[in-house]
Amino acid sequence: MKRLYNLACFSALVLTVCITAATLVATLAQQWWIGELLSHPRPQYALILVCCLPLLVARFHQFGWLVLIPLLLNLTTFSPLYFGKPLPLPTPSYTVLHYNLDATLPNHIVAFTYLRKHPVDILLLQELTPELERRLTTALPQYKIVYSHPMKNTHGSAFLLAADSDIRVISANVVNLPHYSPRPMIEALLDIDGQEVALLSLHVTRSRNAGTSAFQQTELAAVAAWSRAQQTYSGRTVLIIGDFNTTPWSARFHQLKKEGVLLSSESGYGVQSTWPASLPPVLGIPIDLCLYSQGITIVDRYIGSFLGGDHRPLFIQFQLSEISVR
């Protein structure tokens, strides 16, 4: 038994040292792409450190409490997400569902069944291939296709609107952010209760190395500029939802919020993991996110079921504020 106890204490010590090192490297996220990647599993770091704390305190006494330093450093990055939930308004609400279809799946029967059973006003789909586009009308008969842009890679997308929705589409098209990006994103201008809402269905590059990480940062800077232009020059309310391929506590996400004059839908709802969908939520990270400008209030937000792909669907319910930014 003592041997097992010593092994457990040694393992806890090794894990603590590794997580502490990863936490320190994560502080270099703005200077080094490895730091950006290591900043994403913050909740998992905190969970492991909480489990290690009793063992290290029992084994090393007062020195064991040093675990609190990396634990608190990680907790402070995502714990604010559990506070600041906005209060509902006495105005109509509207629903949006974003889902990354995962073009690599052999079939999407489970996903389409789920989407039919969970109707929303606005349905945004990512990784739309030409084959999937041909199935949309029969698979989702309660929607009308406003704009679809299928592609043979993972860059395709579609914007569908409930057939009975009161939302009026002023325009819909694809936009490249920045202009030389190979990822066309759907941009739509909507009339909701007499207010103009600029909607962007986002899907940015996944950070895999120094090059893709740098390009992701360029993409997010372009999205911030798009948001500022919509709000400042056009006086529109902005709603951005999609696969950000980064977490809401990352440095570049905070920079996007600041430069784009945006708020995060996660506030008050906590950590809601969407990827990888096949793992229990406690082991995943939230990379399917929603940002919005003043003029919108988020009244509900939840993550849907595992549908066979690598992402879980993101559901957003929002209201337009009585005082608009216009």
Side-chain angles (χ1 to χ4, degrees):
M1 184 63 69
K2 185 177 180 180
R3 192 174 185 180
L4 185 61
Y5 170 74
N6 288 335
L7 178 61
C9 290
F10 176 76
S11 300
L13 179 61
V14 171
L15 283 172
T16 299
V17 169
C18 291
I19 290 174
T20 301
T23 301
L24 293 174
V25 173
T27 62
L28 303 174
Q30 291 180 302
Q31 292 80 32
W32 191 24
W33 70 276
I34 295 292
E36 171 70 15
L37 286 182
L38 290 177
S39 72
H40 297 326
R42 297 284 196 175
Q44 289 77 19
Y45 292 163
L47 179 60
I48 294 171
L49 291 172
V50 165
C51 295
C52 292
L53 180 60
L55 281 170
L56 294 181
V57 169
R59 180 68 177 82
F60 300 105
H61 308 294
Q62 67 267 31
F63 294 105
W65 290 105
L66 291 174
V67 180
L68 287 175
I69 297 174
L71 175 58
L72 291 174
L73 285 174
N74 285 292
L75 282 175
T76 54
T77 61
F78 64 86
S79 56
L81 298 181
Y82 291 90
F83 304 96
K85 186 175 182 179
L87 296 174
L89 301 170
T91 56
S93 65
Y94 301 89
T95 51
V96 185
L97 195 152
H98 152 79
Y99 182 56
N100 188 317
L101 287 164
D102 189 352
T104 64
L105 285 182
N107 71 75
H108 294 78
I109 296 174
V110 174
F112 284 135
T113 300
Y114 178 91
L115 295 174
R116 283 196 301 272
K117 291 182 177 179
H118 295 79
V120 291
D121 292 298
I122 298 170
L123 177 61
L124 301 173
L125 301 175
Q126 298 285 353
E127 299 200 12
L128 182 77
T129 62
E131 180 184 357
L132 285 170
E133 185 197 36
R134 288 191 289 270
R135 297 180 55 193
L136 288 181
T137 303
T138 54
L140 302 170
Q142 73 270 47
Y143 293 98
K144 53 185 177 183
I145 302 173
V146 175
Y147 197 95
S148 66
H149 188 79
M151 298 184 72
K152 293 183 179 179
N153 54 20
T154 60
H155 300 172
S157 57
F159 167 27
L160 287 77
L161 188 68
D164 58 353
S165 177
D166 295 330
I167 297 173
R168 184 172 70 88
V169 180
I170 300 172
S171 63
N173 56 275
V174 293
V175 59
N176 297 77
L177 300 172
H179 67 88
Y180 54 86
S181 171
R183 292 174 174 267
M185 304 173 190
I186 294 180
E187 169 195 72
L189 181 58
L190 310 176
D191 182 332
I192 305 178
D193 284 344
Q195 295 189 36
E196 287 189 0
V197 177
L199 173 70
L200 181 64
S201 178
L202 191 69
H203 190 186
V204 302
T205 301
R206 182 188 299 179
S207 178
R208 295 185 179 90
N209 50 49
T212 54
S213 180
F215 188 67
Q216 184 191 80
Q217 200 154 10
T218 300
E219 286 178 304
L220 295 178
V223 171
W226 176 89
S227 174
R228 286 197 312 273
Q230 294 293 333
Q231 296 179 64
T232 305
Y233 301 117
S234 303
R236 295 165 180 159
T237 304
V238 169
L239 182 66
I240 304 172
I241 183 169
D243 182 356
F244 284 67
N245 270 315
T246 192
T247 48
W249 48 82
S250 72
R252 58 187 56 176
F253 188 80
H254 284 292
Q255 186 174 4
L256 169 60
K257 288 196 299 179
K258 181 180 178 180
E259 294 182 355
V261 196
L262 295 163
L263 302 169
S264 176
S265 68
E266 289 75 26
S267 297
Y269 294 94
V271 178
Q272 296 184 329
S273 301
T274 61
W275 180 92
S278 57
L279 295 180
V282 71
L283 299 179
I285 56 175
I287 62 173
D288 297 274
L289 307 170
C290 174
L291 290 173
Y292 62 97
S293 66
Q294 291 184 17
I296 288 179
T297 298
I298 303 298
V299 294
D300 197 10
R301 184 191 199 279
Y302 66 82
I303 304 303
S305 308
F306 171 51
L307 305 179
D310 56 347
H311 290 252
R312 292 176 186 263
L314 169 62
F315 173 92
I316 297 288
Q317 183 178 5
F318 70 93
Q319 294 173 317
L320 293 179
S321 305
E322 293 179 326
I323 301 176
S324 174
V325 295
R326 297 181 64 191

